Amino acid sequence: MQHVVATAGHVDHGKSTLIRALTGMEPDRWEEERRRGLTIDLGFAWTTLASGREVAFVDVPGHQRFLGNTLAGLGPAPVVCFVVAADEGWQAQSSDHRDAIAALGIRHGLIVITRADRAPDRADEVLAHARAELSETGLRDAPGVTVSAVDGTGLTELRGALDCVLEQVPEPETSARVRLWVDRSFTITGAGTVVTGTLAAGTLARGDRLDLLGPERMRSVVIRGLQSRGEPYPTLGPVGRAALNLRGVSRDVIHRGNALITPDAWPSTRELDVRRTTGSPWTDAPAQLIVHVGTAAVPARLRPFDDDHGRLTLDWLLPLVLGDRLVLRYPGSSQVLGGAQVLDAEPPVLRRRGDSARRAAALAGMDAGGDVAAEVARRGAVQEHHLRRLGLLTGREAKTPAGVRVLDGWWVHDATYDAWQQRLRSGVHDLHTQDPLADGLSRGAARDLLALPDESLLDAVARDAGLEQGGGHIRVAGARDDLGRAEAAVGELEARLRAEPFQAPEAYELSALQLGARELAAAERAGRLLRLRDGVVLLPTAPALAMRDLAQLEQPFTTSQARQALGTTRRVAIPLLEHLDARGWTRRLDAGHREVVR
Ligand SMILES: Nc1nc2c(ncn2[C@@H]2O[C@H](COP(=O)(O)OP(=O)(O)OP(=O)(O)O)[C@@H](O)[C@H]2O)c(=O)[nH]1
Ligand SMILES: [Mg+2]
């Protein structure tokens, strides 16, 4: 595991000089930056601490014009080195960066008072001031160190303090889904497209396929090669800086703010319900703002529901989940408006009057960790996989919450399940009352009736509703045995056929008995009659009886011999023999001969 530490602090306060002193590397990559003595874009450098801990730095610009770049550096960083110059003290961008850190919920870091050689007497006072300013952020208890990069004072203490801070950082999850926010993309001759980013969780391996999500459509890419700190690796675990050589994407379509994500493991969302975490109440918030998350900066519309809750509509899709921290910024300004946390990455559509007030109340009652039972209740049924994607399930839950049942990968709320059962029961019963001879409700019709999200749920619902299933239909239990008005006629026909098993009734006889196709089909389903080709109706026992007689014949036998043995006509004998062939009980040898299969 490496550590990744971002710098923060007002322009010219000595961030890059400090990184240079700590690593011996040049964080200002551009000639223009070095000429102007000003960081414009993110810089990268690394070192190994006395403990052996490896630490990579992301050096951010302090100038307010480059706040977007600063936020891209701070966004994915788990740890911050907050710099204030002893001779200048706390300044405007110190406040902006403080607000960004508060919004991002960064909890690990240290405060470094730089340029101490220029104002040795002021260092303590500036540190105390910085502490007070940071008291509402996650850096409230961060250790403070005073240094001078020019004469080297305090640098050993700083390395020691950094080691202590990094020791406290929780272990990242190596098996988590990957979401790597791209902070740089470039081409290397011979290698092609390379992107870099901070791997916060999960593991990358050569050959892995990832989805690239940006303002344009999602595309699939493959990791051709991996590097960290300039060295190649077959796999890279978190936390660490990672450079990925990608196949399947040209440099022009991949930019800072894009995300490389584990396929199918993240939702991509444009609408988010969020809670204000820092900054002023949202009553006067601008409708248009910029949302910063990871390395992305996306224009968005904010629709406040109340002072603390609202809906963000992003200009393009981002892979965001419950609990993600966002920095909100006024467009065209270098000011941070405040922070927000995602409460729902797939919020419900609001249509009716009063919906937004109801939504505000629901959001106010929500936990930032999410309430999976409430989500299942709201949706009725949702796939477990999707709950995991949204961040509502971590996979470490001990059991499913009360009021939720798990069916075939679906989480279904009890109320929804009860409603499905009732609706199915009454649908099937209504149909049976209208038409007792019908074979019940088809599965497709049942799925539509219940608006079931997946037909696989139907079996359980039908069973629990006390209904019977078979042949693609759901019916009232025992309905197949109930022939209703046709019962008497079928009984009469059965009696006749028991006496003369191969004397199939003629069409006029069936119509005299009022046994039409529907009645006969129902009797067949009930196992009372057997229908053969050309309107031949026999008892289901007829084939077995026929076999007894046919087995007595000299083999092979002709159709005519069979007809005589059974004492019937060609009208009955031919469909019956074909039925026996189909069952594999007899075999047809040629146009005129068959034999019994033994
Ligand atoms: N005397 C003295 N000067 C320093 C020290 N650290 C930085 N400086 C000077 O302060 C100026 C700004 O330093 P940088 O390291 O570029 O400051 P920065 O915070 O990276 O500035 P931006 O990236 O533009 O925000 C340079 O002229 C440095 O030489 C220090 O410890 N002592
Ligand atoms: Mg700099």
Side-chain angles (χ1 to χ4, degrees), residues 38 102 104 122 139-140 191 234 238 249 303 402 420 427 467 489 552 585:
L38 178 78
L104 291 166
R122 287 196 56 201
L139 297 191
R140 68 182 70 81
V249 63
R303 170 180 173 192
W420 284 347
L467 300 167
Q552 306 298 320
W585 292 359

Side-chain angles (χ1 to χ4, degrees), residues 18 23-24 26 68 121 136 213 232 288 308-309 319 322 363 411 474 515 519 576 589:
L18 183 66
T23 66
E26 176 54 65
D121 312 336
E136 310 259 297
L213 188 60
Q288 289 292 332
D308 300 321
H309 301 96
L322 179 76
L363 292 171
W411 286 42
I474 300 168
L515 292 176
E519 288 75 13
L576 181 56
L589 302 173

Side-chain angles (χ1 to χ4, degrees), residues 383 407-408 410 420 424 441-448 450-462 469 471-474:
Q383 273 178 307
L407 288 172
D408 210 11
W410 285 83
W420 284 347
L424 186 61
L441 199 62
S442 75
R443 286 175 65 88
R447 183 184 170 169
D448 292 349
L450 309 188
L452 273 193
D454 189 329
E455 198 177 315
S456 71
L457 295 165
L458 198 52
D459 291 337
V461 180
Q469 253 208 95
H473 286 74
I474 300 168

Side-chain angles (χ1 to χ4, degrees), residues 9-18 20 28 37-40 59-63 83 114-118 147-151:
H10 192 73
V11 62
D12 259 357
H13 275 198
K15 298 178 290 297
S16 301
T17 307
L18 183 66
R20 221 173 279 129
D28 284 334
L38 178 78
T39 304
I40 296 170
D59 184 34
V60 308
H63 196 286
V83 166
T114 49
R115 310 206 308 202
D117 56 292
R118 290 206 198 170
V147 302
S148 163
V150 168
D151 62 22

Side-chain angles (χ1 to χ4, degrees), residues 95-114:
S95 296
D96 286 342
H97 296 187
R98 169 201 62 202
D99 295 347
I101 284 164
L104 291 166
I106 294 174
R107 287 175 295 119
H108 301 276
L110 69 175
I111 308 169
V112 185
I113 306 306
T114 49

Side-chain angles (χ1 to χ4, degrees), residues 205-210 220-225 244-249 260:
R206 217 164 21 204
D208 277 359
R209 185 170 286 282
L210 296 170
S220 179
V221 298
V222 173
I223 303 176
R224 187 191 294 178
L244 292 75
N245 179 202
L246 297 178
R247 193 179 323 141
V249 63
L260 285 165

Side-chain angles (χ1 to χ4, degrees), residues 12 55 66 144 202 247 249 275 278 298 323 331 336 364-365 409 454 506 528 546 590 593:
D12 259 357
V55 49
F66 312 123
R247 193 179 323 141
V249 63
R275 169 175 295 153
T278 60
V298 183
V336 170
D454 189 329
E506 298 291 337
R528 305 270 299 268
D590 57 43
H593 295 87

